[in-house]
Amino acid sequence: MYTQLQQRDASRNPVNVATLRSMKERGEPIACLTAYDASYAQLVDQAGTDLVLVGDSLGMVIQGHDTTVPVTVNDIIYHSRSVRRGLGRAFLVADMPFMSYTNPGQALDNAVRLMQEGAAMMVKLEGGAGQVKIVEHLAAHDIPVCAHLGLRPQSVHKLGGFRVQGREQAQAERMLEDAVALEQAGADIVLLECVPNELGAAVRGAVSVPVIGIGAGPAVDGQILVLYDILGITQGRMPRFVRNFMAGTDSPLEACARYVAAVKDRSYPAPEHCFS
Ligand code: KIV
């Protein structure tokens, strides 16, 4: 009975939403990475990563698609339950894929599947004010939610490419309002992708929940990157915010530990990884 509790390393308390909030309050940067299988999950967990995301980026880095659009709920469940088996301390978030949260009922059904079948502790969905009702519905059922703003890869065909968002004042103001509305609706984390530093700092100051950035500058509460990007596995042109942490080491564990250390001591992101 309770064998999973006995197996835990008591010196490393598992991260939960309260841990993440207190890290924001203490000003300790939150180090996050994606993972898609148990072996890498074990490695990023051992490296000290606080939060692990089973991102729909798996559609690109695992399945070889050009976008995240083809990813299904079953795909995320398969990878999430594998990742969960590798984690000891990190908090597990799973992405709600494209068109899996078009109305509150469908969103709840799919979020429940990600938590029950995929063992996720939180779900992430993309979108601004249009998702307030969905987030309210999930929060009313005690489903922890991460709201993804800025560049929303599921909307790539509508946005016309993977581009920096929020450079125009009106768009930046709307994103700020959306972040506040999503927090009020019950979101527990805001994730900001590809926005100017200044907007990252403004969103961080406007909400009390942790703000995790990917290409959102140094002033947010934490950073996330795609694991295969920091390990130099992804080929081709990299987004500006990516840093290859395998440079100077042949150990993926060491590379992940260097990433965590760089997030914690704020040497990542450096000015060359940021947008203005
Ligand atoms: O799908 C994903 O991996 C993501 C991160 C890039 C934030 O959403």
Side-chain angles (χ1 to χ4, degrees):
M1 190 152 147
Y2 299 138
T3 49
Q4 80 282 16
L5 295 181
Q6 285 155 14
Q7 282 161 5
R8 265 189 205 150
D9 174 355
S11 63
R12 300 168 74 232
N13 282 337
V15 176
N16 58 38
V17 275
T19 320
L20 298 171
R21 268 181 186 259
S22 80
M23 288 172 80
K24 173 174 178 129
E25 280 157 22
R26 287 201 312 276
E28 179 185 342
I30 302 166
C32 316
L33 280 171
T34 65
Y36 313 99
D37 66 35
S39 300
Y40 274 123
Q42 202 171 13
L43 191 136
V44 301
D45 190 79
Q46 221 179 312
T49 309
D50 301 305
L51 181 154
V52 171
L53 169 70
V54 179
D56 60 2
S57 52
L58 70 84
M60 300 170 81
V61 299
I62 302 284
Q63 298 173 335
H65 297 295
D66 290 336
T67 74
T68 60
V69 171
V71 176
T72 66
V73 173
N74 284 343
D75 291 336
I76 299 283
I77 288 172
Y78 173 84
H79 289 279
S80 184
R81 76 202 320 174
S82 306
V83 166
R84 183 67 189 91
R85 292 185 198 112
L87 298 183
R89 172 182 170 272
F91 188 70
L92 177 60
V93 182
D95 249 336
M96 300 202 66
F98 181 64
M99 291 299 135
S100 68
Y101 46 100
T102 59
N103 61 65
Q106 183 207 23
L108 183 60
D109 288 348
N110 284 324
V112 167
R113 288 197 64 204
L114 293 181
M115 293 183 77
Q116 290 191 322
E117 298 172 47
M121 298 158 179
M122 176 179 280
V123 298
K124 175 165 85 59
L125 49 80
E126 298 183 7
Q131 304 302 344
V132 161
K133 285 209 158 32
I134 305 283
V135 174
E136 266 170 6
H137 193 61
L138 296 180
H141 290 83
D142 287 343
I143 309 255
V145 178
C146 171
H148 183 151
L149 294 174
L151 172 58
R152 291 167 289 112
Q154 290 172 13
S155 304
V156 61
H157 298 307
K158 187 81 175 168
L159 295 171
F162 298 104
R163 300 168 193 283
V164 181
Q165 302 292 307
R167 276 194 166 131
E168 303 80 32
Q169 198 181 338
Q171 203 191 19
E173 281 167 9
R174 201 171 334 117
M175 215 183 290
L176 209 49
E177 286 165 14
D178 286 357
V180 172
L182 288 160
E183 176 180 32
Q184 282 167 357
D188 303 276
I189 294 182
V190 170
L191 188 144
L192 267 188
E193 179 162 356
C194 265
V195 300
N197 285 5
E198 206 184 321
L199 182 53
V203 173
R204 196 255 168 213
V207 297
S208 58
V209 295
V211 177
I212 308 297
I214 173 163
V220 289
D221 301 303
Q223 303 292 333
I224 186 162
L225 285 175
V226 169
L227 179 65
Y228 292 3
D229 293 351
I230 73 157
L231 296 183
I233 295 170
T234 314
Q235 298 297 301
R237 194 165 157 262
M238 283 297 133
R240 182 185 171 94
F241 53 74
V242 170
R243 178 171 150 196
N244 179 354
F245 284 84
M246 281 300 287
T249 178
D250 57 7
S251 155
L253 176 59
E254 172 68 19
C256 292
R258 286 180 184 192
Y259 165 74
V260 171
V263 170
K264 298 281 178 190
D265 70 15
R266 298 181 193 279
S267 53
Y268 175 82
E272 65 266 27
H273 306 119
C274 297
F275 301 105
S276 52

